Amino acid sequence: MADAASRLRSLAERMLGAPLPLRIRAWDGSQAGPPGAPALVIRNRRALRRMLFKPGELGLARAWVAGDLDVEGDLYTALEATAGSVWERGEDARTLTQALRDPEVRAAGRELLRLVGPPIPPAPPREEVRRRRHLHTRRSDSRAISHHYDVGNDFYELVLGPSMVYSCAYWEDGGSLESAQRDKLELVSRKLGLTPGQRLLDVGCGWGSMAIHAAREHGVSVVGITLSQEQAAFARKRVADEGLTDRVEIRVQDYRDVVDGPYDAISSIGMAEHVGAERYLDYARDLYGLLRPGGRLLNHQIARRPQRDESAYEVDPFIDAYVFPDGELAPIGTTVTQLERAGFEVRDVESLREHYARTLRRWVTNLEDDWGRAVRLTSPGRARVWRLYMAASALAFERNRIGVNQVLAIRTPDPGTSGLPLRTRTWNT
């Protein structure tokens, strides 16, 4: 009988209908596949059972998070090699039901069943969120935010670096991650036209970096809101250490509960992805109502590519189960439309897609360079989630599967005076 690696490679190619671009190294020590290619390491039969009982991306993710599946060699190369057959199948890819109509696939499935041993479905890794309908209530949003952000500030500091900014940096050639993040915060400040004495609301303030930068560098008073208790505690300490407690207030508060407007400006950086499609218009209207006439909103948000049938959009199962529960992405056109429906005048849209790819690669490097400490600070499974999610996301930005945009919108007064210069983009000079 053939060794496990050869059998698995043959089965995979029959089920995918294409050559497998990776080597396979199986639990019995056998290997099969192109020499020099990254190896998919299948440590035990349990990895196969996970993929069998949850075919597709979620089964692979469970095996990866549990440590039953690994990659030997460069992770980016492995993800690139498998993108077309596993991660990026697209709208025209055949469904599992369609695939199972193929006699060759059914035969391969029967052989896989014989190989995996007792057909007992393994329990999901403990890092997986138990799925539910996307409610986007205050309670469900708070739980989702806690799942992602309350995993330890020390872990985030290891990944993000001293800037503690969890959104894409704004890169100049040769700059450091810290300087690129500082440049991004300054870019947001300039787009908002911040001047001393103004009030800024920072929605989804994270660990306080934008709030501190705006208060320290531009003399504004800032209210930063987050749903994460750990973020708020960290941000408040940073504010105190900077001597800015008279100008920066950090609250654990839902944006729907902010009632102390008007504000001169609102920054929403990497937060709107958590709002959900059904509630996005309400979110935009809430922010519009919190701005004074002439006030500006800077909405910094990840976008996906539009689909021919938008009703068929589904959240990525790995991201939904392990990274951002209840997070949803929308095309940039949809976001602009919703902001305009809320009353905003959209004045500028800038894509930072390549900037985010570069940022994510730096975060992956930070994680890999201090892997042992990262595991100690959280868990092996959580660290593996982050490594896979950030590496795959970097490639998704590079391949234009997703993008990120800064949208500058204004609550333009009735006379129509926007307050912007005739020549925009002066913030980039």
Side-chain angles (χ1 to χ4, degrees):
M1 180 178 289
D3 57 54
S6 298
R7 292 175 68 190
L8 287 170
R9 181 174 176 81
S10 174
L11 285 169
E13 292 182 343
R14 286 161 62 189
M15 298 183 81
L16 291 172
L20 188 68
L22 301 177
R23 288 184 297 126
I24 287 182
R25 183 156 65 82
W27 59 88
D28 62 354
S30 62
Q31 297 190 52
L40 191 65
V41 181
I42 301 175
R43 299 192 185 282
N44 48 55
R45 287 184 172 86
R46 186 171 56 248
L48 302 180
R49 288 197 288 274
R50 292 189 187 280
M51 291 184 275
L52 184 65
F53 283 97
K54 275 291 179 183
E57 187 174 322
L58 186 56
L60 285 167
R62 285 178 172 177
W64 171 270
V65 175
D68 301 327
L69 185 72
D70 206 346
V71 168
E72 187 178 86
D74 184 69
L75 180 59
Y76 293 107
T77 302
L79 290 172
E80 283 272 29
T82 57
S85 56
V86 177
W87 306 103
E88 299 177 9
R89 297 182 65 81
E91 295 178 71
D92 296 322
R94 63 180 180 175
T95 66
L96 178 63
T97 301
Q98 292 168 332
L100 290 175
R101 293 175 185 153
D102 186 333
E104 184 76 8
V105 172
R106 291 202 303 272
R110 288 192 293 270
E111 188 173 341
L112 181 61
L113 278 169
R114 289 193 292 271
L115 184 61
V116 300
I120 302 171
R126 64 185 179 88
E127 290 81 5
E128 182 172 318
V129 174
R130 300 301 181 262
R131 295 316 309 133
R132 58 200 178 280
R133 192 169 66 87
H134 292 239
L135 298 175
H136 290 290
T137 63
R138 286 167 173 78
R139 185 178 181 183
S140 66
D141 283 353
S142 179
R143 286 178 174 175
I145 293 298
S146 179
H147 171 84
H148 187 76
Y149 294 104
D150 291 342
V151 297
N153 293 324
D154 289 343
F155 175 77
Y156 274 98
E157 196 165 14
L158 181 153
V159 174
L160 304 179
S163 67
M164 289 299 282
V165 179
Y166 187 32
S167 57
C168 77
Y170 192 65
W171 293 94
E172 299 287 346
D173 289 339
S176 67
L177 175 60
E178 286 66 45
S179 65
Q181 290 291 14
R182 183 176 60 248
D183 288 346
K184 192 275 297 300
L185 298 178
E186 181 61 18
L187 177 67
V188 172
S189 300
R190 290 181 180 180
K191 287 182 176 182
L192 289 172
L194 298 182
T195 57
Q198 288 186 328
R199 296 185 75 211
L200 169 68
L201 175 65
D202 187 27
V203 182
C205 67
W207 294 271
S209 298
M210 178 64 201
I212 290 170
H213 180 90
R216 184 183 60 215
E217 304 299 329
H218 296 274
V220 300
S221 295
V222 187
V223 171
I225 60 172
T226 176
L227 294 178
S228 166
Q229 296 284 350
E230 290 194 21
Q231 281 186 335
F234 190 94
R236 287 167 182 154
K237 183 178 185 305
R238 292 179 72 194
V239 168
D241 291 345
E242 291 277 350
L244 293 170
T245 53
D246 60 329
R247 277 187 277 166
V248 178
E249 178 187 2
I250 303 296
R251 304 174 184 167
V252 178
Q253 188 175 36
D254 192 289
Y255 71 92
R256 289 164 283 199
D257 297 328
V258 178
V259 294
D260 60 345
Y263 288 87
D264 299 287
I266 298 176
S267 53
S268 178
I269 306 172
M271 178 272 174
E273 297 89 341
H274 298 286
V275 171
E278 290 186 5
R279 298 193 181 271
Y280 200 93
L281 182 58
D282 292 334
Y283 155 80
R285 285 171 173 162
D286 285 344
L287 299 192
Y288 183 86
L290 288 168
L291 278 174
R292 64 164 176 81
R296 302 182 189 182
L297 165 70
L298 192 286
N299 188 71
H300 178 117
Q301 181 178 341
I302 298 172
R304 61 176 171 83
R305 302 292 295 174
Q307 297 185 175
R308 289 192 300 270
D309 178 9
E310 278 294 311
S311 66
Y313 167 66
E314 294 182 353
V315 177
D316 181 281
F318 167 60
I319 296 296
D320 196 36
Y322 288 99
V323 185
F324 291 110
D326 294 348
E328 297 177 60
L329 301 183
I332 178 60
T334 301
T335 296
V336 169
T337 297
Q338 295 289 64
L339 291 172
E340 290 181 330
R341 288 180 65 195
F344 283 105
E345 179 188 6
V346 172
R347 293 300 301 256
D348 187 80
V349 178
E350 182 176 6
S351 172
L352 303 180
R353 178 171 63 83
E354 293 87 351
H355 292 263
Y356 217 157
R358 187 169 178 179
T359 304
L360 282 156
R361 282 183 176 265
R362 291 295 183 94
W363 291 343
V364 171
T365 297
N366 288 346
L367 178 64
E368 292 178 340
D369 285 350
D370 209 352
W371 182 258
R373 181 166 175 260
V375 169
R376 291 193 300 273
L377 288 173
T378 176
S379 70
R382 181 71 62 192
R384 291 172 67 82
V385 166
W386 271 74
R387 184 174 178 232
L388 178 60
Y389 130 69
M390 292 192 300
S393 296
L395 293 175
F397 280 108
E398 290 168 357
R399 295 167 69 98
N400 193 27
R401 290 186 60 221
I402 54 177
V404 62
N405 304 280
Q406 289 191 349
V407 180
L408 178 65
I410 300 177
R411 179 173 176 168
T412 305
D414 289 339
T417 305
S418 70
L420 285 175
L422 290 177
R423 292 183 62 195
T424 57
R425 297 288 173 94
T426 55
W427 42 75
N428 287 325
T429 60

